Amino acid sequence: ISKMAYDFSKDFEHSMREVMTISDATKQNFKGISDEIVEMSKTVPDNALKLSKAFYQIVSAGYDGKEAMDILKVSADLAVAGITDTEVAADAITYVMNSFGESAGDAENIAGKLFMTVKLGKTKMEELAPAVSKVAGMWAQAGGSYEDMMAAIATGVKSLPVDIMTTSIRGILTAIIKPSEDAKKVVEELGIEFDAATLATKGFSHILLQMKEAVGDDKDKMEKLAAIFPNVRGLIGALALDTKKYTEAVDSMSRGTE
């Protein structure tokens, strides 16, 4: 047992020295931050070594000192709730923070929406976290809100696998950010507000509702709608989103309860 304890201690110290190479706070207070991580490991399932690796990811994402430690604690708590490890949770939280900035709220608010998406979408955090990293940057670039994005993911994964839904959302966002000339003509003909300004001010639910109302069961209009999307999976994703459930998910995200 003592050999195992010694090896673990050496591995932890080595991991923290890796953190020190990118963390000014750890350089200035190596023992203090190391001790804080060890203490945190006594209250969460992940051990100190795993927490130190998650801390490295957080620092590499641009956070340090007390802020990084706060994110680590929130990530560890999310890992427990989402049945995953702290590093996966930390990656998702910091990616959202870096994509949306202050508009997404603090780490605790971000974690709450991530966990709610797991519950609403009946998915797993280890599947959701990489999906969020693929979509968040584009969604924020298009002017959409964090809550709106999570509601879209939570609704979409009920009918499509996470990876396909992620590709679909990226296809939708590409069509919104960089519409082709044909797409612009179709949007005008169908009378749809399909642009970044609408996404930012009225939300994706408004765009989705307009699309479904404009097309209805008309096959000709459905074919025209397909011209908006450069990738057919974008259309598949848009049609997979149940408008009523999506609106309910947006409301749940806003209220912070199911």
Side-chain angles (χ1 to χ4, degrees), residues 19 22 52-63 87 90-91 94:
V19 173
I22 60 171
S52 69
K53 293 183 181 302
F55 191 66
Y56 182 94
Q57 292 301 324
I58 292 166
V59 175
S60 67
Y63 305 92
E87 193 169 349
D91 276 347
T94 53

Side-chain angles (χ1 to χ4, degrees), residues 199-224:
L199 178 66
T201 57
K202 299 182 179 180
F204 186 67
S205 57
H206 175 76
I207 294 175
L208 180 66
L209 188 59
Q210 279 190 108
M211 285 170 52
K212 296 201 172 183
E213 287 179 347
V215 173
D217 297 324
D218 190 317
K219 290 184 179 178
D220 290 336
K221 288 184 177 179
M222 182 67 74
E223 288 180 5
K224 288 181 179 178

Side-chain angles (χ1 to χ4, degrees), residues 29-49:
N29 187 19
F30 182 84
K31 186 178 185 303
I33 289 179
S34 297
D35 289 347
E36 198 169 343
I37 289 176
V38 170
E39 284 303 308
M40 190 183 298
S41 72
K42 297 175 182 178
T43 64
V44 297
D46 278 349
N47 61 35
L49 180 59

Side-chain angles (χ1 to χ4, degrees), residues 126-213:
E126 60 198 35
E127 295 175 332
L128 177 63
V132 168
S133 69
K134 290 176 183 175
V135 172
M138 280 189 75
W139 195 285
Q141 180 190 344
S145 72
Y146 171 56
E147 291 177 351
D148 207 13
M149 180 188 78
M150 297 313 294
I153 294 174
T155 307
V157 296
K158 289 180 179 179
S159 53
L160 291 173
V162 176
D163 59 335
I164 294 177
M165 191 62 218
T166 302
T167 303
S168 298
I169 290 176
R170 287 180 64 86
I172 294 168
L173 293 172
T174 299
I176 290 174
I177 297 169
K178 295 180 179 178
S180 66
E181 290 304 315
D182 286 343
K184 290 177 183 177
K185 291 175 183 176
V186 171
V187 166
E188 188 175 346
E189 186 179 334
L190 294 176
I192 301 171
E193 293 178 292
F194 193 84
D195 52 41
T198 303
L199 178 66
T201 57
K202 299 182 179 180
F204 186 67
S205 57
H206 175 76
I207 294 175
L208 180 66
L209 188 59
Q210 279 190 108
M211 285 170 52
K212 296 201 172 183
E213 287 179 347

